[in-house]
Amino acid sequence: MKILILGGDGYLGWPTAMHFAAAGDEVWVADNFAKRKWELEDGIEPLLPIPTLHRRVQRWNGMNAGAPVRMKVGDLTNHRFVYNLLREVGPEVIVHYGEQPSAPYSMQGRTAAVMTQQNNVVGNLNLLFAMQRHCPDAHLVKLGTMGEYGTPNIDIEEGWLDVEHNGRTDRVLFPKKAGSFYHLSKVHDSHNIEFACRVWGMRATDLNQGVVYGIDTDQTMLHPELRTSFHYDHVFGTVLNRFLVQACIGVPLTVYGRGGQTRGFLNIRDTLACVDLAARNPAESGEFRIFNQFTEQFSIGRLAEMVVAAGTRAGLAVTVAHLDNPRVEAEEHYFNAKHTKLPDLGLQPTLLTDAVIDQMLATVREQVDRVDPDIIAPQIRWAGGDISAPNR
Ligand code: USQ
């Protein structure tokens, strides 16, 4: 396959690029390094320094561990860049991760919310138009989020819902109740992609992904310079990654509110497996396909218990703090999201066993000296935040 990965410098984008290259596919990556700039705005660094994309590509290409990775630098909100990119590469599959990925970042205030939606929605629209022009038969594999659905008091289907209303029936996109301006940007993307499939006959798979955790993949472990970014800060760190770091440095786990919030979770290795399955089993022409991409669900309180237990096994005394929730979200709610389509294609999940969590804790523990304790406490509130900060 000739595959183009947008956001190829990111937590998921870089391991995905190496995954396909290791399988012998022809891989191109593109990025504008905006994420590195957003980190700088909030004074945030990943746990371990991440070499430049140029350096990582050079390292990978020198290892003979698979096909080479080729790279382009540019901004998806610049339509000329996107058109030229697709014309030059001519991809069969486009994996689109190239978006602002953080809910807290988007909730800092007007500037960050507008930037998030402009970056994500305009970049995605430029991509759709460029695909229509230069590779209308290519398959778009777009990273969406389970957060598009929110936490409705009914079962969550995989994207589509059959409804009966006043004696008539129709198939509609599942109603969305997103929890942040970031999550809403993905809702808007989904609608734009569905329209492009319906009207232009494009083919697309929206991967409504849950919360990802994990540090290593088979390829990141080949060399220290091939590692991917691991965030534990209050802006870009996802909850389990944060809890593991907190356990290692001996601060209480930051459970927001009562901790009954339930989400779908998956290991970073399964992100790669799911994207691989989606790419190798493309949607039909005109089909807008949605997969709910997670492998198991946990409440935040349950996750905290699992990290406390892992800490005990490792000889760490881990405690839990219930902080005032900086977010506006349901803390006790119904959550039953279908997720059968990826297993039907053959997904063999990597579940959050004691062994997996112990291994992650041990890996983080080796880097404990690098942790910056000042970037852990939540500083962005969903309602009534400080409006004097530079990015608000
Ligand atoms: N939470 C805590 N304590 C923390 C951090 C988070 O209790 O220290 C809680 C949050 O309140 C929330 C849940 O954990 O209820 C998940 O928060 P998160 O920061 O791990 O994840 P979220 O903001 O939802 O966003 C992440 C990714 C995003 C992706 C999304 C999938 O950053 O890119 O779209 O997970 S999902 O959550 O399924 O929408």
Side-chain angles (χ1 to χ4, degrees):
M1 277 185 313
K2 194 188 276 193
I3 183 163
L4 170 63
I5 294 159
L6 304 174
D9 190 44
Y11 173 56
L12 302 177
W14 173 243
T16 302
M18 291 191 291
H19 169 89
F20 282 101
D25 295 304
E26 181 177 338
V27 178
W28 291 74
V29 293
D31 208 297
N32 68 344
F33 312 121
K35 172 91 182 300
R36 295 185 188 238
K37 174 176 157 282
W38 299 325
E39 291 167 19
L40 283 171
E41 285 173 7
D42 285 309
I44 279 161
E45 284 182 300
L47 183 59
L48 287 167
I50 299 301
T52 62
L53 184 59
H54 295 72
R55 180 81 203 125
R56 293 194 285 180
V57 165
Q58 204 178 23
R59 171 62 64 190
W60 171 263
N61 291 348
M63 299 220 16
N64 292 321
V69 171
R70 277 172 272 194
M71 68 177 283
K72 293 280 178 186
V73 176
D75 184 342
L76 300 181
T77 65
N78 173 354
H79 72 273
R80 287 193 183 84
F81 169 72
V82 187
Y83 277 70
N84 288 337
L85 178 68
L86 297 204
R87 195 186 57 225
E88 189 178 331
V89 174
E92 293 159 89
V93 182
I94 299 173
V95 180
H96 181 16
Y97 293 117
E99 301 204 330
Q100 195 293 98
S102 160
Y105 182 94
S106 76
M107 296 303 291
Q108 293 178 93
R110 190 202 64 84
T111 307
V114 170
M115 194 290 295
T116 298
Q117 293 211 356
Q118 272 177 347
N119 183 75
N120 294 3
V121 177
V122 173
N124 185 64
L125 262 178
N126 284 342
L127 177 62
L128 294 176
F129 276 93
M131 287 179 71
Q132 188 205 25
R133 169 76 63 86
H134 291 299
C135 50
D137 201 41
H139 176 209
L140 172 62
V141 178
K142 166 69 169 53
L143 193 77
T145 172
M146 285 300 292
E148 293 186 33
Y149 304 116
T151 53
N153 200 32
I154 56 175
D155 294 342
I156 296 172
E157 302 298 322
E158 291 201 64
W160 292 92
L161 183 66
D162 295 315
V163 289
E164 192 188 324
H165 183 62
N166 293 345
R168 303 182 66 82
T169 58
D170 204 351
R171 185 167 174 262
V172 297
L173 286 175
F174 195 91
K176 307 291 170 64
K177 230 181 186 180
S180 72
F181 287 117
Y182 151 72
H183 289 101
L184 278 163
S185 73
K186 300 257 179 183
V187 173
H188 307 325
D189 287 344
S190 296
H191 284 117
N192 286 337
I193 299 169
E194 188 273 335
F195 183 76
C197 291
R198 180 157 41 95
V199 172
W200 299 339
M202 280 186 48
R203 57 178 88 222
T205 303
D206 207 357
L207 298 174
N208 280 350
Q209 183 167 253
V211 186
V212 183
Y213 60 83
I215 304 161
D216 294 319
T217 69
D218 289 348
Q219 287 76 38
T220 62
M221 292 171 76
L222 292 176
H223 190 280
E225 284 191 338
L226 297 178
R227 67 170 71 104
T228 194
S229 55
F230 178 89
H231 281 280
Y232 60 92
D233 58 83
H234 70 109
V235 184
F236 294 104
T238 52
V239 62
L240 179 54
N241 289 353
R242 278 168 60 70
F243 284 177
L244 292 169
V245 168
Q246 293 161 7
C248 290
I249 66 164
V251 300
L253 307 186
T254 55
V255 171
Y256 297 166
R258 291 202 294 279
Q261 305 92 310
T262 299
R263 299 287 184 270
F265 287 84
L266 75 165
N267 191 298
I268 187 171
R269 291 171 180 275
D270 285 346
T271 295
L272 307 192
C274 292
V275 170
D276 189 280
L277 286 168
R280 297 191 198 285
N281 299 277
E284 300 292 328
S285 175
E287 184 185 12
F288 178 57
R289 199 171 59 163
I290 302 172
F291 295 163
N292 290 347
Q293 182 164 307
F294 67 95
T295 56
E296 38 191 347
Q297 66 180 58
F298 300 104
S299 73
I300 302 306
R302 174 73 195 119
L303 268 189
E305 283 170 13
M306 292 168 78
V307 174
V308 169
T312 305
R313 289 193 293 276
L316 296 166
V318 182
T319 58
V320 174
H322 284 267
L323 306 185
D324 279 349
N325 197 336
R327 306 186 182 198
V328 177
E329 61 184 353
E331 293 176 5
E332 304 286 346
H333 57 86
Y334 181 75
F335 190 80
N336 183 30
K338 306 276 172 64
H339 57 116
T340 55
K341 290 188 181 173
L342 284 159
D344 286 350
L345 286 177
L347 176 67
Q348 301 285 336
T350 305
L351 299 178
L352 189 57
T353 56
D354 286 356
V356 168
I357 201 165
D358 291 349
Q359 177 63 54
M360 287 192 295
L361 193 71
T363 304
V364 172
R365 215 171 162 187
E366 288 165 16
Q367 311 300 336
V368 78
D369 293 344
R370 289 199 43 90
V371 175
D372 176 355
D374 291 340
I375 60 174
I376 289 180
Q379 295 170 30
I380 298 163
R381 304 194 77 79
W382 262 224
D386 172 8
I387 56 163
S388 63
N391 201 31
R392 294 181 180 181

